[in-house]
Amino acid sequence: MKPKEKNRIIIVDDHQLFSQSLELLITSFKDFEVISHFENGKVFISYLQDNIDIDIDLILLDVNMPVLDGVSTMKWIKENRPSLKVIALSVNDDEEIIIKMLANGAKGYLLKDTSPEIFKEAIISVIEKGFYFTELVSGMLVKKANDDSKKISLKEKEIVFIKHACTEKTYKEIASEMCLSPKTIDGYRECLFDKLEIKTRIGLVLYAIKNKIVLV
């Protein structure tokens, strides 16, 4: 069988100019090609349903789209094609949206003003290693996230809290779910932030994904 010559990428974004500019950037990289464009999640999902065996190395998925947005599209991918690798693209770093995308299986989250160098590093990392998260988005140092030399011991309730934090629930809803007061939940959060050396809930989600506390 002839070896595949280039990594095959699909862009799902409703902004035609951005999509075309992104393709020009990707094709300027060695060993990469854009095989198709879609303007929203609905037409992309229809394409996947009609092309079950299509070979795709990476999907670049816009978060904000008409008809079917990135979050809803990501949920469908998680349920129906979980092996697909997706990098979410957005113009903002809204924590709630980032958590939703990561919790539903996105392997990376990039802002649309990311430099070409970082963008290239990200797509290579996701294809070869399975994930890529910048310090800006993760709220933690990638070096620390990948440091396996220090084993951190977590209590059972802390693990339960982390699992809830990796969903779309608010902290108040998590407190109700765990039959604890919001003040106690705040205590869990701050303790874990300190123990894991992270600064945000996004960092907590990233830690959980990388350490397989939750599976995406």
Side-chain angles (χ1 to χ4, degrees):
M1 182 182 293
K2 184 180 178 181
K4 183 176 63 176
E5 295 180 354
K6 293 188 177 183
N7 291 291
R8 294 157 60 86
I9 295 177
I10 284 179
I11 299 172
V12 186
D13 193 299
D14 65 307
H15 292 98
Q16 188 175 2
L17 184 60
F18 175 80
S19 183
Q20 291 175 346
S21 298
L22 192 56
E23 179 174 3
L24 287 174
L25 176 62
I26 291 168
T27 53
S28 74
F29 302 150
K30 183 181 178 182
D31 300 329
F32 290 90
E33 65 176 339
V34 174
I35 61 171
S36 200
H37 296 257
F38 299 95
E39 66 269 21
N40 61 63
K42 184 177 180 180
V43 291
F44 175 54
I45 288 172
S46 179
Y47 171 80
L48 290 178
Q49 291 171 328
D50 292 339
N51 298 272
I52 297 175
D53 298 322
I54 187 72
D55 184 15
I56 307 169
D57 293 290
L58 182 65
I59 298 159
L60 300 173
L61 179 63
D62 186 20
V63 171
N64 300 303
M65 297 181 292
V67 185
L68 194 69
D69 64 14
V71 173
S72 299
T73 304
M74 199 66 241
K75 287 179 179 179
W76 185 93
I77 291 172
K78 182 180 180 181
E79 293 174 3
N80 298 276
R81 299 288 296 275
S83 63
L84 293 175
K85 295 176 180 177
V86 179
I87 293 179
L89 302 175
S90 181
V91 295
N92 63 65
D93 57 354
D94 180 85
E95 182 179 86
E96 182 180 352
I97 297 298
I98 295 173
I99 290 172
K100 286 181 178 180
M101 294 301 288
L102 299 185
N104 283 292
K107 307 303 181 185
Y109 191 105
L110 293 176
L111 299 181
K112 287 190 173 182
D113 61 356
T114 297
S115 70
E117 294 77 19
I118 295 294
F119 178 76
K120 182 178 181 180
E121 180 183 340
I123 63 175
I124 291 173
S125 180
V126 169
I127 289 173
E128 294 184 353
K129 300 177 183 178
F131 62 86
Y132 182 88
F133 299 102
T134 63
E135 181 180 344
L136 171 65
V137 170
S138 69
M140 62 193 294
L141 295 176
V142 174
K143 181 177 181 298
K144 289 181 180 178
N146 290 328
D147 184 5
D148 294 324
S149 63
K150 182 172 62 174
K151 297 297 180 182
I152 299 172
S153 177
L154 297 174
K155 298 175 183 177
E156 184 178 347
K157 282 199 172 182
E158 288 178 328
I159 293 175
V160 172
F161 170 76
I162 290 174
K163 288 180 177 179
H164 282 304
C166 292
T167 69
E168 300 174 18
K169 298 172 186 172
T170 65
Y171 286 124
K172 185 177 180 181
E173 289 170 337
I174 293 172
S176 176
E177 192 80 21
M178 294 181 67
C179 299
L180 297 170
S181 70
K183 187 175 181 180
T184 300
I185 289 299
D186 288 343
Y188 277 131
R189 181 188 64 222
E190 296 307 316
C191 180
L192 284 166
F193 280 5
D194 183 61
K195 184 183 290 188
L196 303 177
E197 297 182 70
I198 59 178
K199 300 175 184 177
T200 68
R201 183 171 176 176
I202 298 166
L204 194 62
V205 173
L206 180 55
Y207 175 85
I209 292 171
K210 288 186 175 181
N211 288 276
K212 302 189 185 306
I213 294 174
V214 296
L215 300 177
V216 297

